Short mmCIF file of all heavy atoms in Angstrom, two decimals:
data_model
loop_
_atom_site.label_atom_id
_atom_site.label_comp_id
_atom_site.label_asym_id
_atom_site.label_seq_id
_atom_site.Cartn_x
_atom_site.Cartn_y
_atom_site.Cartn_z
N GLN A 30 -4.83 -17.56 12.81
CA GLN A 30 -3.80 -16.54 12.61
C GLN A 30 -3.94 -15.90 11.22
O GLN A 30 -3.81 -14.70 11.06
CB GLN A 30 -2.40 -17.15 12.76
CG GLN A 30 -1.27 -16.17 12.50
CD GLN A 30 -1.25 -15.03 13.49
OE1 GLN A 30 -1.56 -15.21 14.67
NE2 GLN A 30 -0.90 -13.85 13.04
N PHE A 31 -4.21 -16.71 10.21
CA PHE A 31 -4.41 -16.20 8.85
C PHE A 31 -5.59 -15.25 8.82
O PHE A 31 -5.52 -14.17 8.23
CB PHE A 31 -4.64 -17.36 7.88
CG PHE A 31 -5.01 -16.91 6.50
CD1 PHE A 31 -4.03 -16.46 5.62
CD2 PHE A 31 -6.32 -16.94 6.07
CE1 PHE A 31 -4.37 -16.03 4.34
CE2 PHE A 31 -6.67 -16.52 4.81
CZ PHE A 31 -5.69 -16.06 3.94
N ILE A 32 -6.69 -15.63 9.45
CA ILE A 32 -7.89 -14.79 9.47
C ILE A 32 -7.58 -13.47 10.17
O ILE A 32 -7.95 -12.40 9.69
CB ILE A 32 -9.05 -15.53 10.15
CG1 ILE A 32 -9.48 -16.73 9.29
CG2 ILE A 32 -10.24 -14.60 10.39
CD1 ILE A 32 -10.45 -17.66 9.97
N ARG A 33 -6.90 -13.53 11.33
CA ARG A 33 -6.54 -12.31 12.05
C ARG A 33 -5.66 -11.40 11.21
O ARG A 33 -5.85 -10.20 11.16
CB ARG A 33 -5.84 -12.64 13.37
CG ARG A 33 -6.78 -13.02 14.49
CD ARG A 33 -6.07 -13.02 15.83
NE ARG A 33 -4.98 -13.99 15.90
CZ ARG A 33 -5.12 -15.26 16.24
NH1 ARG A 33 -6.30 -15.73 16.55
NH2 ARG A 33 -4.08 -16.06 16.27
N THR A 34 -4.70 -11.99 10.52
CA THR A 34 -3.78 -11.22 9.69
C THR A 34 -4.53 -10.53 8.55
O THR A 34 -4.30 -9.36 8.26
CB THR A 34 -2.67 -12.12 9.12
OG1 THR A 34 -1.97 -12.73 10.21
CG2 THR A 34 -1.70 -11.34 8.28
N GLN A 35 -5.43 -11.26 7.90
CA GLN A 35 -6.21 -10.69 6.81
C GLN A 35 -7.08 -9.53 7.30
O GLN A 35 -7.14 -8.48 6.67
CB GLN A 35 -7.10 -11.75 6.17
CG GLN A 35 -6.35 -12.77 5.34
CD GLN A 35 -5.72 -12.15 4.13
OE1 GLN A 35 -4.52 -11.93 4.11
NE2 GLN A 35 -6.50 -11.84 3.13
N LEU A 36 -7.78 -9.74 8.40
CA LEU A 36 -8.65 -8.70 8.93
C LEU A 36 -7.86 -7.48 9.37
O LEU A 36 -8.26 -6.34 9.13
CB LEU A 36 -9.49 -9.25 10.10
CG LEU A 36 -10.56 -10.27 9.72
CD1 LEU A 36 -11.22 -10.83 10.97
CD2 LEU A 36 -11.59 -9.66 8.79
N GLN A 37 -6.71 -7.70 10.00
CA GLN A 37 -5.86 -6.59 10.42
C GLN A 37 -5.37 -5.79 9.22
O GLN A 37 -5.35 -4.57 9.23
CB GLN A 37 -4.67 -7.10 11.24
CG GLN A 37 -3.84 -5.99 11.85
CD GLN A 37 -4.60 -5.20 12.88
OE1 GLN A 37 -5.28 -5.76 13.74
NE2 GLN A 37 -4.52 -3.89 12.79
N SER A 38 -5.01 -6.49 8.17
CA SER A 38 -4.55 -5.84 6.95
C SER A 38 -5.66 -4.98 6.34
O SER A 38 -5.42 -3.85 5.91
CB SER A 38 -4.07 -6.88 5.96
OG SER A 38 -3.75 -6.30 4.74
N GLN A 39 -6.86 -5.51 6.31
CA GLN A 39 -7.99 -4.77 5.77
C GLN A 39 -8.31 -3.54 6.62
O GLN A 39 -8.61 -2.47 6.10
CB GLN A 39 -9.20 -5.67 5.64
CG GLN A 39 -9.05 -6.72 4.56
CD GLN A 39 -10.17 -7.74 4.56
OE1 GLN A 39 -11.06 -7.70 5.40
NE2 GLN A 39 -10.11 -8.67 3.62
N LEU A 40 -8.25 -3.70 7.94
CA LEU A 40 -8.50 -2.57 8.83
C LEU A 40 -7.45 -1.48 8.65
O LEU A 40 -7.76 -0.30 8.60
CB LEU A 40 -8.52 -3.03 10.29
CG LEU A 40 -9.78 -3.75 10.74
CD1 LEU A 40 -9.59 -4.33 12.13
CD2 LEU A 40 -10.96 -2.81 10.71
N ASN A 41 -6.19 -1.88 8.55
CA ASN A 41 -5.11 -0.91 8.34
C ASN A 41 -5.31 -0.15 7.04
O ASN A 41 -5.11 1.06 6.98
CB ASN A 41 -3.75 -1.59 8.36
CG ASN A 41 -3.35 -2.07 9.73
OD1 ASN A 41 -3.88 -1.62 10.74
ND2 ASN A 41 -2.41 -3.00 9.78
N SER A 42 -5.68 -0.85 6.00
CA SER A 42 -5.90 -0.22 4.71
C SER A 42 -7.07 0.77 4.78
O SER A 42 -6.99 1.89 4.26
CB SER A 42 -6.18 -1.28 3.65
OG SER A 42 -6.46 -0.70 2.42
N ALA A 43 -8.14 0.38 5.44
CA ALA A 43 -9.30 1.25 5.58
C ALA A 43 -8.96 2.49 6.40
O ALA A 43 -9.38 3.61 6.06
CB ALA A 43 -10.46 0.50 6.21
N GLN A 44 -8.17 2.31 7.46
CA GLN A 44 -7.76 3.45 8.28
C GLN A 44 -6.90 4.42 7.48
O GLN A 44 -7.05 5.64 7.60
CB GLN A 44 -7.00 2.99 9.52
CG GLN A 44 -7.89 2.47 10.61
CD GLN A 44 -7.10 2.07 11.85
OE1 GLN A 44 -6.00 1.52 11.75
NE2 GLN A 44 -7.64 2.37 13.01
N ARG A 45 -6.00 3.89 6.68
CA ARG A 45 -5.13 4.74 5.87
C ARG A 45 -5.96 5.54 4.85
O ARG A 45 -5.73 6.72 4.64
CB ARG A 45 -4.08 3.89 5.15
CG ARG A 45 -3.14 4.67 4.28
CD ARG A 45 -2.31 5.61 5.11
NE ARG A 45 -1.62 6.54 4.25
CZ ARG A 45 -0.91 7.55 4.66
NH1 ARG A 45 -0.77 7.76 5.95
NH2 ARG A 45 -0.32 8.35 3.83
N THR A 46 -6.93 4.89 4.25
CA THR A 46 -7.80 5.58 3.30
C THR A 46 -8.58 6.68 3.99
O THR A 46 -8.69 7.80 3.47
CB THR A 46 -8.76 4.58 2.63
OG1 THR A 46 -7.98 3.59 1.94
CG2 THR A 46 -9.69 5.26 1.65
N MET A 47 -9.12 6.40 5.16
CA MET A 47 -9.86 7.40 5.91
C MET A 47 -8.96 8.57 6.29
O MET A 47 -9.35 9.74 6.19
CB MET A 47 -10.49 6.79 7.17
CG MET A 47 -11.71 5.96 6.88
SD MET A 47 -12.49 5.28 8.34
CE MET A 47 -12.85 6.73 9.28
N PHE A 48 -7.73 8.28 6.72
CA PHE A 48 -6.79 9.33 7.07
C PHE A 48 -6.49 10.22 5.86
O PHE A 48 -6.49 11.46 5.97
CB PHE A 48 -5.49 8.72 7.62
CG PHE A 48 -4.43 9.74 7.89
CD1 PHE A 48 -4.48 10.52 9.03
CD2 PHE A 48 -3.38 9.93 7.01
CE1 PHE A 48 -3.51 11.47 9.29
CE2 PHE A 48 -2.41 10.87 7.24
CZ PHE A 48 -2.46 11.66 8.39
N ASP A 49 -6.26 9.61 4.72
CA ASP A 49 -5.98 10.37 3.49
C ASP A 49 -7.16 11.27 3.12
O ASP A 49 -6.97 12.43 2.76
CB ASP A 49 -5.64 9.43 2.33
CG ASP A 49 -4.30 8.74 2.50
OD1 ASP A 49 -3.48 9.20 3.32
OD2 ASP A 49 -4.07 7.73 1.80
N LEU A 50 -8.37 10.74 3.21
CA LEU A 50 -9.56 11.53 2.88
C LEU A 50 -9.76 12.67 3.87
O LEU A 50 -10.10 13.79 3.48
CB LEU A 50 -10.80 10.64 2.84
CG LEU A 50 -10.85 9.65 1.68
CD1 LEU A 50 -12.03 8.68 1.85
CD2 LEU A 50 -10.93 10.37 0.36
N GLU A 51 -9.54 12.41 5.16
CA GLU A 51 -9.67 13.46 6.16
C GLU A 51 -8.64 14.56 5.92
O GLU A 51 -8.94 15.75 6.07
CB GLU A 51 -9.50 12.88 7.56
CG GLU A 51 -10.68 12.05 8.01
CD GLU A 51 -10.42 11.31 9.32
OE1 GLU A 51 -9.28 11.32 9.81
OE2 GLU A 51 -11.38 10.73 9.85
N THR A 52 -7.43 14.18 5.53
CA THR A 52 -6.39 15.16 5.24
C THR A 52 -6.78 16.00 4.03
O THR A 52 -6.59 17.22 4.03
CB THR A 52 -5.03 14.46 5.00
OG1 THR A 52 -4.70 13.70 6.16
CG2 THR A 52 -3.93 15.46 4.72
N GLN A 53 -7.31 15.36 3.01
CA GLN A 53 -7.75 16.10 1.82
C GLN A 53 -8.84 17.10 2.17
O GLN A 53 -8.83 18.24 1.70
CB GLN A 53 -8.26 15.14 0.75
CG GLN A 53 -7.18 14.34 0.07
CD GLN A 53 -7.75 13.33 -0.93
OE1 GLN A 53 -8.94 13.34 -1.22
NE2 GLN A 53 -6.90 12.47 -1.44
N ILE A 54 -9.77 16.68 3.01
CA ILE A 54 -10.88 17.57 3.40
C ILE A 54 -10.36 18.73 4.24
O ILE A 54 -10.73 19.88 4.00
CB ILE A 54 -11.96 16.78 4.15
CG1 ILE A 54 -12.67 15.82 3.20
CG2 ILE A 54 -12.97 17.72 4.81
CD1 ILE A 54 -13.55 14.80 3.89
N SER A 55 -9.51 18.45 5.20
CA SER A 55 -9.07 19.50 6.12
C SER A 55 -8.11 20.49 5.47
O SER A 55 -8.10 21.66 5.82
CB SER A 55 -8.44 18.89 7.37
OG SER A 55 -7.23 18.23 7.05
N THR A 56 -7.29 20.03 4.52
CA THR A 56 -6.32 20.93 3.90
C THR A 56 -6.84 21.54 2.60
O THR A 56 -6.36 22.58 2.17
CB THR A 56 -5.00 20.21 3.58
OG1 THR A 56 -5.25 19.18 2.62
CG2 THR A 56 -4.37 19.63 4.82
#
């Protein structure tokens, strides 16, 4: 469960960063 939580947290953070960068590029 700890491993899943850590990986999920890292994935969420990476997705948020990608979303922010895509928004910067598109706007």
Side-chain angles (χ1 to χ4, degrees):
Q30 177 63 36
F31 174 79
I32 293 170
R33 280 193 298 274
T34 302
Q35 288 294 104
L36 291 175
Q37 186 65 46
S38 174
Q39 290 172 358
L40 284 172
N41 289 341
S42 177
Q44 281 182 322
R45 180 64 192 174
T46 300
M47 284 182 58
F48 175 78
D49 290 343
L50 291 172
E51 288 171 352
T52 301
Q53 287 176 9
I54 291 168
S55 67
T56 64

